[in-house]
């Protein structure tokens, strides 16, 4: 790989002149500039990002840690983040924590070592939050992160989403409503279940403990949870705390010969693109994943530009997108 000294040698100038031409830090004669640019092109010279970062004290990079980019929800959010960061001149370094606290801590240390200009983190332990505050790295928490860390946060109103699902199912006359939650220790799952349960309670409908089961936010987990639930219970509706589990529940119902939506209504959460292409199409609580990613990136870019601005808490109101899994076409 060519160095700045190789370019200087080929152009017949000093390497400081090459630096001034490429970085436009000082006027250089037209003849010298032309020779430098021609030499750089001929040698396929790429300026050192490390050297630039040492001069500017910025790296032009954003670190993004998510639990799992094979989950369409996170891949769609990440795309919104990447698009916004790219438009602002930043590259995104994507890391998958796999919901493993040790792996996430390793990635945090890697990103801090790389001197990323800012971080976006979808899950964060309290000790890691303390580390980031101590390091004074501009950071925005997203989605599953705790809300009491003194760090900027962008999230959907999960309880309101659970309430929307309950209101819709009640409006259809469903009363034996079951729920497949995500992992019991994850806040967003608890919030969605709480919104569902409270709305049912106000309507005089209960969510019995044996109608609430937990899975792992995957299609396979939703499938197994639904098979177990439907083997012992006869709900007329199931609210799943994300779309992947709802898709698994649709398969379980199909295998058991349970008609959706005639006998069993199914509602998901996230409204991933795939929700429109399963059969029947999936009714889902939508949080506009691409927009969520854009807002998160914008929040971080504003924090980078103004480090001392007041703490930001942005909550996005969900919407219900009604499709064939609750209302027959």
């Amino acid at each position: 790989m060519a160095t700045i000294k190789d370019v200087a040698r080929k152009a017949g100038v000093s390497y400081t002149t090459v630096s001034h031409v490429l970085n436009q830090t000082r006027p250089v004669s037209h003849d010298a500039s032309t020779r430098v640019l021609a030499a750089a092109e001929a040698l396929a010279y790429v300026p050192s990002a490390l050297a630039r970062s040492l001069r500017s004290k910025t790296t032009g990079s954003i670190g993004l840690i998510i639990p799992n980019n094979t989950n369409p929800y996170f891949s769609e959010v990440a795309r919104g983040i990447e698009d916004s960061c790219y438009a602002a001149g930043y590259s995104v370094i994507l890391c998958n924590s796999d919901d493993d606290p040790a792996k996430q801590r390793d990635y945090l240390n890697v990103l801090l070592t790389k001197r990323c200009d800012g971080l976006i983190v979808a899950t964060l332990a309290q000790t890691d939050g303390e580390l980031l505050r101590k390091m004074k790295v501009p950071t925005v928490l997203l989605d599953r992160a705790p809300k009491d860390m003194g760090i900027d946060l962008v999230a959907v109103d999960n309880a309101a989403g659970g309430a929307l699902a309950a209101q819709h199912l009640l409006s259809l006359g469903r009363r034996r409503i079951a729920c497949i939650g995500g992992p019991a220790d994850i806040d967003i799952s608890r919030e969605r279940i709480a919104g569902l349960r409270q709305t049912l309670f106000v309507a005089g409908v209960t969510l019995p403990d044996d109608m609430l089961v937990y899975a792992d936010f995957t299609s396979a987990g939703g499938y197994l949870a639904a098979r177990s639930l439907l083997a012992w219970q006869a709900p007329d509706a199931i609210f799943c705390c994300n779309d992947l589990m709802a898709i698994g529940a649709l398969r379980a119902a199909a295998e058991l010969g349970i008609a959706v939506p005639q006998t069993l209504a199914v509602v998901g959460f996230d409204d991933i693109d795939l929700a429109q292409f399963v059969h029947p199409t999936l009714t889902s609580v939508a949080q506009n994943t691409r927009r969520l990613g854009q807002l998160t990136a914008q929040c971080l870019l504003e924090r980078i530009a103004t480090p001392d601005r007041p703490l930001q808490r942005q909550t996005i109101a969900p919407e219900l997108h009604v499709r064939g899994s609750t209302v027959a076409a």
Side-chain angles (χ1 to χ4, degrees):
M1 181 178 291
T3 68
I4 191 171
K5 291 185 177 181
D6 294 329
V7 176
R9 189 178 303 111
K10 186 173 182 63
V13 298
S14 68
Y15 73 87
T16 56
T17 298
V18 175
S19 176
H20 287 312
V21 170
L22 298 180
N23 295 299
Q24 299 181 343
T25 51
R26 195 185 72 182
V28 177
S29 70
H30 177 72
D31 177 63
S33 294
T34 300
R35 284 187 283 124
V36 167
L37 294 175
E41 182 176 0
L43 295 172
Y45 172 68
V46 178
S48 168
L50 175 60
R52 283 187 171 180
S53 67
L54 290 173
R55 288 193 300 271
S56 65
K57 296 184 179 180
T58 64
T59 60
S61 62
I62 300 296
L64 170 60
I65 302 178
I66 59 177
N68 183 359
N69 73 343
T70 63
N71 182 327
Y73 165 76
F74 285 111
S75 63
E76 290 170 19
V77 171
R79 182 56 187 266
I81 291 170
E82 182 184 13
D83 288 348
S84 296
C85 289
Y86 180 79
Y90 289 89
S91 299
V92 174
I93 301 173
L94 175 63
C95 304
N96 286 282
S97 70
D98 295 319
D99 282 318
D100 181 342
K103 188 175 182 181
Q104 176 169 283
R105 169 57 69 90
D106 288 342
Y107 274 136
L108 276 175
N109 288 329
V110 167
L111 295 174
L112 290 172
T113 300
K114 289 182 177 296
R115 299 292 190 270
C116 289
D117 296 327
L119 301 175
I120 296 172
V121 186
T123 59
L124 192 67
Q126 189 72 39
T127 52
D128 293 335
E130 293 168 0
L131 170 66
L132 293 176
R133 286 194 297 272
K134 184 178 180 180
M135 296 293 292
K136 297 183 178 179
V137 180
T139 303
V140 176
L141 304 182
L142 166 69
D143 186 64
R144 299 184 187 180
K147 301 174 176 58
D148 57 354
M149 287 194 170
I151 299 175
D152 292 337
L153 172 71
V154 178
V156 71
D157 188 336
N158 289 294
L164 283 175
Q167 291 164 4
H168 175 59
L169 293 172
L170 290 169
S171 74
L172 298 174
R174 310 288 175 151
R175 293 296 182 271
R176 299 189 309 281
I177 299 173
C179 179
I180 299 177
D185 61 341
I186 292 182
D187 284 346
I188 63 167
S189 178
R190 291 197 295 262
E191 292 165 3
R192 292 170 188 180
I193 294 169
L196 175 81
R197 193 190 295 271
Q198 176 61 25
T199 304
L200 294 179
F201 175 78
V202 171
V205 178
T206 60
L207 175 61
D209 290 342
D210 57 3
M211 295 274 271
L212 171 60
V213 295
Y214 295 93
D216 59 359
F217 282 136
T218 67
S219 297
Y223 167 79
L224 293 173
R227 288 283 306 204
S228 174
L229 180 67
L230 295 170
W232 298 99
Q233 303 292 336
D236 57 13
I238 300 177
F239 168 57
C240 300
C241 283
N242 82 344
D243 284 347
L244 288 181
M245 294 192 299
I247 290 170
L250 289 177
R251 175 180 171 180
E255 289 183 355
L256 293 170
I258 300 173
V260 177
Q262 292 82 359
T263 303
L264 178 71
V266 177
V267 178
F269 200 114
D270 290 338
D271 198 35
I272 60 176
D273 288 343
L274 189 60
Q276 303 177 60
F277 298 100
V278 294
H279 181 76
T281 53
L282 180 63
T283 292
S284 182
V285 177
Q287 50 180 321
N288 196 334
T289 50
R290 191 68 61 89
R291 179 61 178 155
L292 180 63
Q294 292 169 346
L295 287 175
T296 303
Q298 186 60 40
C299 184
L300 179 61
L301 295 173
E302 291 173 0
R303 174 61 64 190
I304 292 171
T306 313
D308 297 328
R309 74 173 187 155
L311 195 66
Q312 300 295 303
R313 289 285 188 272
Q314 296 190 40
T315 302
I316 299 173
E319 301 175 351
L320 184 72
H321 290 179
V322 178
R323 300 192 182 95
S325 66
T326 58
V327 178

